[in-house]
Amino acid sequence: MSGILYFVPTPIGNLEDMTFRAVKILKEVDYILCEDTRTSGFLLKHYEISKPLKSYHLHNEHQTTQKAIDDLKNGQNLAIITDAGTPGISDPGYLLAKAVSDENLEMQCLPGATAFVPALVVSGLPNNEFLFAGFLPQKKGRQTKLKQLAEEKKTIILYESPHKINTTLEQIKEFFGEYTKVSLSREISKKFEETKRGTVNELIDFSKSKTLKGEIVLIINNVEQKGDDEEKPLSKNKYKNLEK
């Protein structure tokens, strides 16, 4: 019989967010694929998990995937974890999941920590329909992607790094409109967790007033609000239709 591949979410900040099942699975598998063995080693030591660790990251996942497939076929059970959150969500894991699916092998993903879910819930913005876009392209294709997202009538979710946040907020203002409501969450589940809500202009002022640290989740309200008594100004991308 072939083995099982487990996608195991790890805490995005607070170590207490590790689930009982996650700890149990990591103690039972034959070995663990890690985005960074040093970072994962700290977590595993905390939970007294002693298993062989193998590096699996964006620079070696093509070579490592085939070895993992061979081991699964030989009956070994494997787990994949990343530095924080759920493998495959803006982290290594997709190629392995695709390969396992193509080979019709068994895999399971445990429920657990993912940064955008708590950020979306506490944003106070519409969450019945949303689009998770992850990180924007660094350079090529960035503006094209923003134009596409601005046309989506859904709440938009982005990940961003501290050194790019000011640029990204300015671009949200440019492509979505200055009256767009945005929620910014950072350091989720950590000691200095913080969420700031307001118009994109207010978020720009907030971001420029202090040095933000930690990975950031942006929630952008790009949903048409109905039933409001107050008439809201239209964002830039909506003026195009009026000019025709």
Side-chain angles (χ1 to χ4, degrees), residues 14-198:
N14 193 320
L15 289 179
E16 294 181 359
D17 290 337
M18 195 76 168
T19 68
F20 290 114
R21 185 183 175 205
V23 173
K24 178 177 181 292
I25 291 295
L26 292 177
K27 287 183 176 181
E28 292 177 348
V29 295
D30 291 287
Y31 67 84
I32 302 169
L33 297 167
C34 307
E35 183 179 6
D36 187 320
T37 55
R38 294 165 298 181
T39 302
S40 297
F42 175 79
L43 173 70
L44 299 176
K45 182 179 179 180
H46 179 81
Y47 284 100
E48 299 180 345
I49 299 170
S50 179
K51 287 290 178 177
L53 307 181
K54 298 188 179 182
S55 180
Y56 187 90
H57 48 71
L58 292 174
H59 302 293
N60 76 349
E61 58 183 340
H62 286 86
Q63 306 94 296
T64 310
T65 292
Q66 187 55 55
K67 177 64 167 62
I69 293 296
D70 292 341
D71 289 339
L72 288 169
K73 288 181 177 179
N74 289 328
Q76 294 190 62
N77 294 320
L78 317 180
I80 177 172
I81 61 177
T82 59
D83 292 348
T86 301
I89 305 298
S90 294
D91 273 327
Y94 163 70
L95 284 180
L96 186 55
K98 182 179 185 303
V100 172
S101 176
D102 290 344
E103 294 287 345
N104 201 29
L105 298 171
E106 186 176 355
M107 58 180 161
Q108 297 179 19
C109 182
L110 280 61
T114 300
F116 77 80
V117 174
L120 176 62
V121 171
V122 303
S123 71
L125 299 177
N127 60 17
N128 60 311
E129 194 173 14
F130 58 88
L131 190 157
F132 173 68
F135 287 97
L136 292 169
Q138 289 296 309
K139 294 180 181 178
K140 186 177 180 181
R142 187 179 179 89
Q143 293 194 1
T144 299
K145 184 65 175 180
L146 283 163
K147 289 178 182 178
Q148 292 173 347
L149 293 175
E151 296 300 324
E152 294 282 350
K153 304 307 177 194
K154 301 180 180 71
T155 297
I156 307 296
I157 304 172
L158 297 175
Y159 284 166
E160 193 50 274
S161 61
H163 73 277
K164 293 282 289 186
I165 187 61
N166 290 336
T167 298
T168 299
L169 287 171
E170 292 286 358
Q171 289 176 324
I172 291 172
K173 177 180 177 179
E174 176 184 356
F175 290 97
F176 289 80
E178 61 183 314
Y179 300 100
T180 301
K181 290 184 178 179
V182 180
S183 176
L184 182 157
S185 294
R186 68 185 189 92
E187 298 285 82
I188 295 173
S189 82
K190 298 179 182 178
K191 181 179 180 180
F192 297 106
E193 178 175 347
E194 180 178 29
T195 294
K196 179 69 175 178
R197 310 170 189 86

